[in-house]
Amino acid sequence: MKLLSELSLRLQKTAAIKYAVGTAAALFVFSFPFVNKFSILTLWLLVLSAIATFFAYKKFNFKAIYLFPVIFFAFRMFSLAFAPPDVTFKNIECCLSLLLMPAIFSLFRLSQAQTLWFVRGVFYALLVAVVACWLVFLRYIIFSEQTFLEIFKHPKAYAALFLGRLIFWQPSFVSISISFIIPLSFYLRSKLYIKPLIMWAAAILSIAFILATGSRIGIVVSTFMLTLGLIYYHRYITWVAKIGVLLSILALGLFAHFLPYSITSDPVRANLRSLGANVIAEKPVCGSGVYSMHRYINSEETAQKYNAHYGYTFNHFHHTFIDETVQFGLVGGGLLAAFFACLIVLAFRKKDFLLLAFLAIYLPFAFVESIFMSVKGIMPFMFWFCFLVSTQEERRTLAKI
């Protein structure tokens, strides 16, 4: 009896340690829309819980595709040795997630039951984060002269006033960080793990907040997510829900059409892309070195040579593929393209809706922002990538309840 009691206590202890990873992950996901300090703190909680789980279970779960981000990080560290004195490790420390996140998800493997608990945990954490964002927004409305209508008519003019203290200051990164809740809600509803009301609350609250921020890429991605969910899960969606999704897509289109700025046209980013292409042509094979983008963008010599004047300062090209190629040449750019190509093949081969949704979010985002140049870009990107890859088989076989 004593032996059985000790065995039971040990099993309870190891189970508690393993579920601690899910709790830490939920806190980490909750931090996505908020300031960097919160995300960094919860990241280290996730690291500690993963290490504790590994020592309890002694299981390693490394995936071959994790080699891509590890190599991306190695490129940065190798290039740092040859960088000018003004480029230090501080300039690239946000890229630690390229190394840390594969390490975290290699330290444990989730069972089907734990995967379900994990998915639902991060979904509800993200939903609570969206609600918290709304509370911050409502507090701003209450203590300001602006009305809801004024803000939704001119979101870019007012978004900066309620972003920056608790919520991250950049609308594009905030919108992308919460947009994954839309495909998650479709997925969980199709498995009957959440009620229709929860699904609609998650979709409506997240999309409405994205509209309030005025993020153009957020509006595009939201439309993608609703369309993808409708197409992929059309068999499991009632006619009422289908009509609701179609009306939501129509409303997003009308909102984008009547905005005071263009969704599809961005002269500044177009000029940055043009300059990036010229810089790549100068050193096409091995690139110009880590964090070299700002030297070209802010160089008066480059501005005169390529007629590139912007009116304000940038430190990257707002294009992940161009940034990688400028830094590490066609070797780095080609490797990034190969990474996304592998994910596309993996998503279609396994018919993985969540991985397809991840790509539908981050591929467009990669063409308008530099994912690896911001904590708010790289942390959510690496978390969802590693989580989706590490649990792909378990999620495929999850049955409806």
Side-chain angles (χ1 to χ4, degrees):
M1 289 296 294
K2 185 178 180 180
L3 181 62
L4 288 174
S5 177
E6 289 178 354
L7 181 61
S8 176
L9 286 172
R10 184 176 179 183
L11 289 173
Q12 290 175 14
K13 181 181 177 181
T14 53
I17 291 172
K18 199 159 191 176
Y19 281 115
V21 174
T23 304
L27 285 171
F28 184 56
V29 169
F30 173 80
S31 76
F32 284 172
F34 301 104
V35 293
N36 286 341
K37 290 181 180 178
F38 188 20
S39 294
I40 293 168
L41 174 63
T42 52
L43 171 64
W44 289 111
L45 288 176
L46 183 57
V47 169
L48 292 174
S49 63
I51 292 172
T53 301
F54 176 74
F55 279 113
Y57 283 83
K58 300 293 193 301
K59 289 184 179 179
F60 201 64
N61 187 34
F62 185 81
K63 303 290 184 180
I65 200 168
Y66 291 167
L67 287 172
F68 278 103
V70 172
I71 294 172
F72 296 151
F73 185 78
F75 276 176
R76 284 158 170 77
M77 294 307 296
F78 177 77
S79 183
L80 190 61
F82 305 96
D86 63 322
V87 179
T88 64
F89 182 74
K90 188 174 178 61
N91 296 113
I92 62 171
E93 64 181 346
C94 70
C95 294
L96 273 173
S97 293
L98 291 170
L99 195 63
L100 284 177
M101 211 56 69
I104 289 169
F105 280 88
S106 296
L107 293 177
F108 60 88
R109 179 162 188 170
L110 301 173
S111 65
Q112 279 189 346
Q114 291 162 341
T115 297
L116 171 58
W117 189 85
F118 198 97
V119 174
R120 294 174 76 174
V122 296
F123 167 78
Y124 282 110
L126 202 50
L127 179 56
V128 173
V130 173
V131 172
C133 288
W134 270 106
L135 292 176
V136 173
F137 176 63
L138 290 172
R139 183 182 181 278
Y140 165 74
I141 291 291
I142 292 169
F143 292 101
S144 71
E145 297 178 355
Q146 286 78 38
T147 64
F148 276 106
L149 187 58
E150 287 175 324
I151 290 176
F152 276 95
K153 279 184 176 180
H154 304 279
K156 278 192 174 294
Y158 297 107
L161 299 177
F162 64 89
L163 299 176
R165 293 185 178 178
L166 292 175
I167 306 173
F168 189 64
W169 64 273
Q170 226 285 2
S172 296
F173 286 94
V174 172
S175 67
I176 291 300
S177 71
I178 65 176
S179 61
F180 199 72
I181 198 173
I182 303 172
L184 266 180
S185 63
F186 273 103
Y187 171 80
L188 289 171
R189 178 57 200 152
S190 72
K191 301 288 186 180
L192 305 180
Y193 295 138
I194 59 173
K195 301 293 184 183
L197 181 62
I198 300 295
M199 171 187 167
W200 281 109
I204 292 171
L205 287 174
S206 58
I207 292 172
F209 191 78
I210 288 169
L211 297 182
T213 68
S215 168
R216 290 172 290 183
I217 187 63
I219 295 170
V220 171
V221 162
S222 299
T223 308
F224 274 7
M225 292 302 97
L226 288 173
T227 306
L228 182 63
L230 179 62
I231 292 171
Y232 198 91
Y233 287 122
H234 67 93
R235 298 178 186 176
Y236 308 102
I237 300 176
T238 64
W239 279 106
V240 174
K242 286 178 181 176
I243 292 171
V245 173
L246 288 171
L247 288 175
S248 299
I249 294 171
L250 178 61
L252 281 169
L254 289 173
F255 183 86
H257 177 73
F258 288 109
L259 281 174
Y261 52 87
S262 172
I263 293 289
T264 56
S265 175
D266 190 332
V268 173
R269 279 183 170 84
N271 290 334
L272 283 170
R273 287 194 293 269
S274 176
L275 174 60
N278 289 321
V279 171
I280 290 169
E282 291 182 3
K283 296 182 179 180
V285 180
C286 296
S288 303
V290 65
Y291 203 67
S292 57
M293 300 86 71
H294 73 293
R295 294 200 299 275
Y296 288 103
I297 296 172
N298 301 320
S299 165
E300 186 59 35
E301 181 183 346
T302 302
Q304 295 295 335
K305 183 177 180 181
Y306 297 114
N307 192 26
H309 301 274
Y310 302 103
Y312 52 97
T313 302
F314 295 96
N315 61 0
H316 57 79
F317 289 99
H318 281 261
H319 193 297
T320 306
F321 290 93
I322 290 177
D323 281 340
E324 286 298 293
T325 310
V326 166
Q327 292 178 99
F328 311 111
L330 295 176
V331 175
L335 194 66
L336 182 62
F339 169 62
F340 276 107
C342 288
L343 284 177
I344 291 169
V345 171
L346 193 61
F348 278 99
R349 181 181 294 173
K350 301 289 186 179
K351 298 180 180 178
D352 189 339
F353 169 73
L354 290 180
L355 190 53
L356 284 171
F358 169 81
L359 290 166
I361 292 171
Y362 278 100
L363 266 176
F365 189 55
F367 282 89
V368 297
E369 287 289 351
S370 188
I371 297 173
F372 299 158
M373 289 296 293
S374 168
V375 166
K376 283 302 168 198
I378 197 168
M379 279 188 177
F381 175 83
M382 286 303 300
F383 175 85
W384 294 123
F385 157 63
C386 291
F387 164 61
L388 294 174
V389 169
S390 69
T391 62
Q392 193 167 47
E393 292 303 322
E394 288 77 12
R395 288 185 292 103
R396 281 185 68 194
T397 52
L398 280 177
K400 294 181 181 179
I401 59 174

